Each structure stands twice: as C-alpha cells, then as structure tokens.
Amino acid sequence: GGDVEAGAGEDSTLMGYIYRRSELVQGTGCYEKEFLVVRNSSIAFFEHRRAFLAGAAALHRHALSAREYFLERNWEQVHRKANTMGSALRKALTGDADRRIMDAFLADDDHTDNLRDLRFALVPVDFDDLTLRPIIELQAESRQDFERWVAVFQGVCSPRPAANRQPEFEKYISRLRTAK
C-alpha cells in the first residue's frame, strides 16, 4: 500500500498501482499490476508510472469514462472464472487462479483469501448495448488503497442502475460469462 496518491487543488486526480484483470479472450484472465490514473471522470491504465509521466499512450485503445460505469463492490457477482489448465495450475501452486505465478511468489503477502476482499469491479451502465463492453475487474494492493479507490470511484461513477433493470443485468452477465 501507500502507492496511491491524490492530486491537489481543483483537479480531482487519484493515481497509483492497482491490479486489473486481463480479458479472458485476450490474455490469461490474471490480475496484472498496472498504473491507474483517475482524473475527474477519465480513467487511464498505463504499464507503469514512468510511462504515464513520459506521456505514453494508455494501454486501452478507447478513452474510458467513469460515468459509463457503476461501482460493484461485490466483484463475485460479475466475476468470470477462467477454467483452463493454466488457471488450475496457478490455483494448485499459489492458491489463487487469478494471479500470475511469479506475481504470487514475488508478492510480500501470504493472505490469498484476503485478496478477494480487495477486489471490486466497474460495470458498464449500458449493459444492454450490443458491444458487450467489458467489466473492469480491479484489485487493490492493501485495505487502505482499496478504500481510497472505492471512494474515488463512488464519486465519479454513475449510480447503480435501478432495481427494475436487474433481469437485464443478469442477462448481460450471463452473456459475458459465455462469450468466447
């Protein structure tokens, strides 16, 4: 923890390292450490802090706006399991199928079960659109960082959709879980 820093003045910026889960179709489905910058409602992920400071392009092709997402603290509701040989091996070796093996061995934590308490997700508000924008699954490095990230996203994300849209939401999650 302690790597999350807030901007000063009128610019509501929060930046720091966080783990973002890679897309199952594009990667392993593991949480990978990236540098996240949230400025007002703009979200940008970078490979590391130096890349951000050097003005490098963000890791994602399209601009991300927090207003297009709502915060889901119960990440298990939207989590997609990676049922692969690699995930089974990671689970057997490290106790966590969602972290890369080297990350787990190099981490200074030994509380795999507690890592799940540091996870949350950003879910698209328009979950009925045809593009199936991905859910952004995130994991903070510490309880303190988790609280800071959640607080900033509560301030910039859209409110959770109305309860009457729950069947639509469940259908969207089902489609995401079965998408190849």
Side-chain angles (χ1 to χ4, degrees):
D3 290 337
V4 178
E5 48 191 86
E10 293 180 17
D11 183 20
S12 62
T13 301
L14 189 68
M15 62 182 78
Y17 285 98
I18 196 165
Y19 288 87
R20 178 172 64 143
R21 188 166 188 232
S22 66
E23 289 293 310
L24 294 179
V25 293
Q26 298 172 344
T28 61
C30 291
Y31 284 89
E32 298 179 12
K33 192 172 186 175
E34 296 176 354
F35 190 74
L36 171 59
V37 177
V38 180
R39 179 173 288 138
N40 299 324
S41 68
S42 176
I43 303 170
F45 292 93
F46 298 89
E47 190 173 343
H48 44 72
R49 188 174 201 270
R50 287 186 314 274
F52 166 69
L53 294 175
L59 293 174
H60 42 84
R61 287 181 290 189
H62 307 290
L64 298 174
S65 171
R67 288 181 174 72
E68 297 174 354
Y69 293 86
F70 70 89
L71 175 67
E72 177 58 66
R73 289 183 72 146
N74 181 8
W75 68 275
E76 290 179 323
Q77 183 172 352
V78 297
H79 177 70
R80 285 179 63 191
K81 289 188 176 166
N83 295 321
T84 64
M85 288 268 265
S87 65
L89 179 63
R90 288 190 301 273
K91 176 81 171 169
L93 290 174
T94 68
D96 187 357
D98 296 325
R99 277 205 302 183
R100 292 186 299 174
I101 293 172
M102 285 307 295
D103 287 347
F105 284 127
L106 295 174
D108 59 358
D109 61 59
D110 59 349
H111 53 283
T112 299
D113 292 336
N114 294 340
L115 291 176
R116 288 175 170 75
D117 294 339
L118 303 178
R119 292 178 181 168
F120 60 98
L122 302 178
V123 180
V125 173
D126 289 328
F127 44 76
D128 55 351
D129 70 9
L130 299 175
T131 60
L132 285 180
R133 273 186 304 171
I135 292 170
I136 302 171
E137 293 181 56
L138 300 169
Q139 175 185 301
E141 291 190 284
S142 68
R143 172 60 58 191
Q144 179 183 7
D145 287 353
F146 173 83
E147 297 300 334
R148 289 173 119 178
W149 287 119
V150 166
V152 78
F153 282 118
Q154 283 175 330
V156 296
C157 286
S158 290
R160 184 179 191 81
N164 64 348
R165 292 193 66 200
Q166 188 64 25
E168 253 180 274
F169 177 65
E170 289 171 6
K171 188 177 187 180
Y172 171 78
I173 296 301
S174 177
R175 285 194 340 232
L176 271 181
R177 286 186 173 144
T178 58
K180 297 289 181 216

